[in-house]
Amino acid sequence: MAEVITMPRLSDTMTEGKVAKWHKKVGDKVKEGDILAEIETDKAVQDFESEVEGTLLYIGVEEGAGAAVDSILAIIGNEGEDISGLTGGAAAPAAGTEETKSQEQPKAETVETASAEIPAGVEVITMPRLSDTMTEGKVAKWHKNIGDTVKEGDLLAEIETDKAVQDFESEFNGVLLKQGVEEGGAAPVDTVLAIIGPAGTDVSAVGAPKAASSASEKPAEQKAEAKTEEKAAPVANTSSSDRVAISPLAKKMAQDKGVDINTVQGSGENGRIVKKDIENYQPAAKPAASAPAASAAAQVAVSFVQGEDTETPNSQVRNVIAKRLSESKFSAPHYYLMVEINMDKAIEARKEINSIPDTKISFNDMIIKATAIALRKHPQVNSSWAGDKIIHRGNINVGVAVAIPDGLVVPVLKNTDQMSYTQISAAVKDMASRAKNKGLKANEMEGSTFSISNLGMFGIETFTSIINQPNSAILSVGAIIEKPIVKNGQIVVGNTMKLSLACDHRVVDGATGAQFLQTLRTYLENPLTLLL
């Protein structure tokens, strides 16, 4: 009887394997212990041996291609045995033929595969690629239901990418005829997201089936109840993630005019702020400050119940964080350098700066500024590994790690070395606030050349971080601690702070990293040197 061989899980973090090389062809005899193929995992290339004997009847993954763990890798059985019931059809010929390739195409249809079936006047909207690293999008919320009239510029849905939640607007007029992905579900880029066209048009044959999601597994009663609650919710000008609902054009106008969008009353659909609201905006007295948002916590609190295990489904953001950090840790050879800095003069400098009216900066702002200037003197640290070459970045863009309920994001301060303390302070506060409310745009988290992670506010004295690729280094900042130090041969009370620099040894040699830390130490221990 034929045996189905599945893609093995060869490491604890492996979700997909790639067949680097087949050692057997369809029709070859296979003995127990024979090497079937070489499998490339997320960590290494490993030989995969057969545990059964027989004839190789089917190859499910062609050489050079990848497949998910537990998907069909091969089928071994008796020569001439019918395996159509195991493959869903006739056994495929040897890997690499057109027939095999056609069987391995993804099940989700793209617009190209369905284009011949699209009726006149119907527009197929595909899952957009909202960031350069996005491969899949999740529908956080639909703003239009099937049967609703849609105008160009109307907000169709909120799409959660690997970096942020973004509003997605329609470019067409018509009626929403189909939702290709249900709320809470996910789908690959370029698969069918929605279909818009004339009312009453039959589009049942157009597009792909809805993407699978945890939401689809819920009982129908729960879905109905959720929809009822959603309809009953009062209308407000914020979305489900507590972000201000505003069109991109209106947001740009508000930024240009310096208008606080939180004080603008939207006149668009569901209270959305549109262009005319910014044009007609009149400043009003600010309302009383509300209570701090619960999202300020680093991670969503989990209730503890004695003897009961619970589960929290991973968000798209946390899945991508896990994947990127694993890739960084296992691909970049990390090493760590640590230094202790006397912060007495930095403390005095901060007091003097903050004594200026309408000025308030943090130690983190000072560290960011000093780091950016130090990177000017050590451009090798501001570089990236690119396989057969090292890219020396022409701009200094510092990424600042921010904790959010879903994990961690890294907003980027573009051209940080050219920013003042107050500009850095304002930018960090703005982006950190929007990060916690999923209000950051993808382009605000791209292009970093160096990253900083600060856990000093939690009392952590020293720690090491995983490099945020494609950066070649990341700085970990600890707490400022008051303790005895030796100064001019005398033991006195001083304030010290420990910094840890994680470097990619492919790009930054130990001496180079040490010299960078020496320069940074000079700037922080003598803040006036930043003016030189």
Side-chain angles (χ1 to χ4, degrees):
M1 183 176 178
E3 294 281 349
V4 175
I5 313 299
T6 59
M7 177 65 73
R9 188 183 300 275
L10 298 175
S11 77
D12 54 353
T13 58
M14 176 180 172
T15 58
E16 184 181 64
K18 180 180 178 181
V19 177
K21 182 179 180 180
W22 279 103
H23 286 264
K24 298 289 184 179
K25 301 187 295 292
V26 171
D28 285 357
K29 297 292 184 182
V30 179
K31 295 181 181 179
E32 184 177 352
D34 282 357
I35 297 177
L36 270 183
E38 294 175 20
I39 306 295
E40 181 179 345
T41 74
D42 55 343
K43 296 180 179 179
V45 177
Q46 299 186 38
D47 291 336
F48 180 62
E49 298 178 354
S50 174
E51 297 180 355
V52 296
E53 296 187 357
T55 300
L56 182 58
L57 303 175
Y58 176 80
I59 287 178
V61 184
E62 61 183 344
E63 192 165 290
V69 168
D70 294 332
S71 59
I72 296 179
L73 176 65
I75 297 177
I76 296 175
N78 297 322
E79 188 172 359
E81 185 175 353
D82 181 13
I83 58 170
S84 59
L86 299 176
T87 62
T97 65
E98 290 301 317
E99 187 178 348
T100 302
K101 292 179 182 178
S102 66
Q103 288 182 356
E104 293 171 356
Q105 292 299 317
K107 292 181 180 180
E109 295 181 65
T110 58
V111 178
E112 287 76 16
T113 62
S115 59
E117 304 170 358
I118 300 176
V122 169
E123 298 288 348
V124 177
I125 314 297
T126 59
M127 178 65 73
R129 188 184 301 276
L130 298 174
S131 77
D132 55 350
T133 57
M134 177 180 171
T135 58
E136 184 181 66
K138 180 179 180 181
V139 177
K141 182 179 180 181
W142 279 104
H143 285 266
K144 294 290 184 179
N145 297 317
I146 294 176
D148 288 353
T149 299
V150 180
K151 296 180 181 178
E152 183 179 354
D154 280 358
L155 184 60
L156 265 185
E158 294 175 25
I159 307 296
E160 181 180 347
T161 73
D162 55 342
K163 296 182 176 179
V165 176
Q166 299 192 39
D167 293 339
F168 181 65
E169 299 179 350
S170 173
E171 298 179 355
F172 307 102
N173 295 323
V175 172
L176 182 59
L177 303 174
K178 181 176 181 178
Q179 293 175 344
V181 185
E182 59 186 28
E183 192 168 289
V189 168
D190 295 331
T191 54
V192 176
L193 174 65
I195 299 177
I196 295 174
T201 305
D202 181 13
V203 294
S204 58
V206 180
K210 293 185 178 181
S213 70
S214 58
S216 64
E217 298 172 2
K218 296 180 180 179
E221 298 88 302
Q222 291 183 4
K223 290 184 181 179
E225 181 181 344
K227 290 182 179 179
T228 303
E229 290 178 0
E230 183 181 337
K231 290 180 180 178
V235 174
N237 77 338
T238 57
S239 69
S240 59
S241 56
D242 293 331
R243 294 182 294 113
V244 176
I246 182 171
S247 71
L249 176 59
K251 186 170 186 177
K252 185 177 186 307
M253 291 176 62
Q255 291 173 342
D256 294 341
K257 292 186 174 185
V259 174
D260 181 1
I261 59 177
N262 293 291
T263 64
V264 180
Q265 182 64 44
S267 62
E269 182 183 15
N270 294 327
R272 190 165 185 250
I273 300 172
V274 294
K275 176 183 175 183
K276 66 179 182 180
D277 297 323
I278 303 299
E279 291 176 337
N280 301 328
Y281 173 74
Q282 294 294 330
K286 291 185 178 180
S290 58
S295 61
Q299 193 168 355
V300 177
V302 178
S303 299
F304 174 79
V305 180
Q306 184 68 42
E308 181 179 330
D309 295 341
T310 59
E311 295 180 356
T312 301
N314 287 341
S315 67
Q316 190 80 345
V317 173
R318 184 162 290 278
N319 281 333
V320 172
I321 289 172
K323 180 180 178 182
R324 297 282 159 74
L325 292 182
S326 296
E327 289 173 350
S328 177
K329 189 66 175 178
F330 296 126
S331 65
H334 287 54
Y335 72 91
Y336 306 94
L337 301 171
M338 298 183 186
V339 67
E340 189 170 31
I341 295 176
N342 187 325
M343 292 293 287
D344 287 341
K345 290 185 179 179
I347 292 173
E348 293 175 7
R350 178 173 175 262
K351 285 181 180 177
E352 291 183 13
I353 294 172
N354 286 346
S355 66
I356 301 172
D358 300 322
T359 302
K360 187 170 180 62
I361 67 169
S362 66
F363 289 113
N364 196 51
D365 301 329
M366 299 179 72
I367 294 166
I368 292 171
K369 176 68 174 178
T371 299
I373 301 303
L375 288 170
R376 276 189 195 170
K377 293 185 177 294
H378 302 276
Q380 189 71 19
V381 183
N382 198 55
S383 304
S384 300
W385 179 260
D388 59 346
K389 59 189 174 183
I390 294 175
I391 301 174
H392 305 288
R393 303 297 179 180
N395 293 319
I396 295 173
N397 303 330
V398 177
V400 182
V402 175
I404 61 172
D406 282 335
L408 191 75
V409 293
V410 186
V412 180
L413 302 177
K414 304 293 174 65
N415 298 310
T416 318
D417 57 319
Q418 300 174 25
M419 300 174 71
S420 66
Y421 280 137
T422 52
Q423 288 174 325
I424 290 173
S425 178
V428 170
K429 288 176 183 175
D430 171 59
M431 290 197 290
S433 174
R434 289 188 289 119
K436 290 169 182 174
N437 292 321
K438 296 185 177 180
L440 284 176
K441 297 298 182 184
N443 61 2
E444 294 178 305
M445 292 180 282
E446 296 173 351
S448 69
T449 59
F450 186 93
S451 299
I452 295 176
S453 178
N454 191 340
L455 292 178
M457 68 286 294
F458 297 107
I460 303 300
E461 292 188 39
T462 182
F463 67 103
T464 58
S465 302
I466 298 174
I467 296 170
N468 178 37
Q469 291 195 347
N471 301 171
S472 61
I474 183 170
L475 185 71
S476 305
V477 181
I480 297 176
I481 303 295
E482 189 177 48
K483 69 176 190 178
I485 62 171
V486 177
K487 189 173 183 180
N488 299 324
Q490 301 292 321
I491 296 177
V492 297
V493 176
N495 295 277
T496 65
M497 178 182 69
K498 292 181 180 178
L499 299 179
S500 172
L501 183 70
C503 300
D504 183 343
H505 216 318
R506 299 173 300 180
V507 181
V508 182
D509 293 334
T512 303
Q515 290 165 0
F516 168 78
L517 278 181
Q518 284 182 338
T519 301
L520 181 56
R521 178 186 215 161
T522 299
Y523 288 149
L524 290 173
E525 291 189 340
N526 302 281
L528 289 179
T529 55
L530 287 171
L531 304 176
L532 300 178

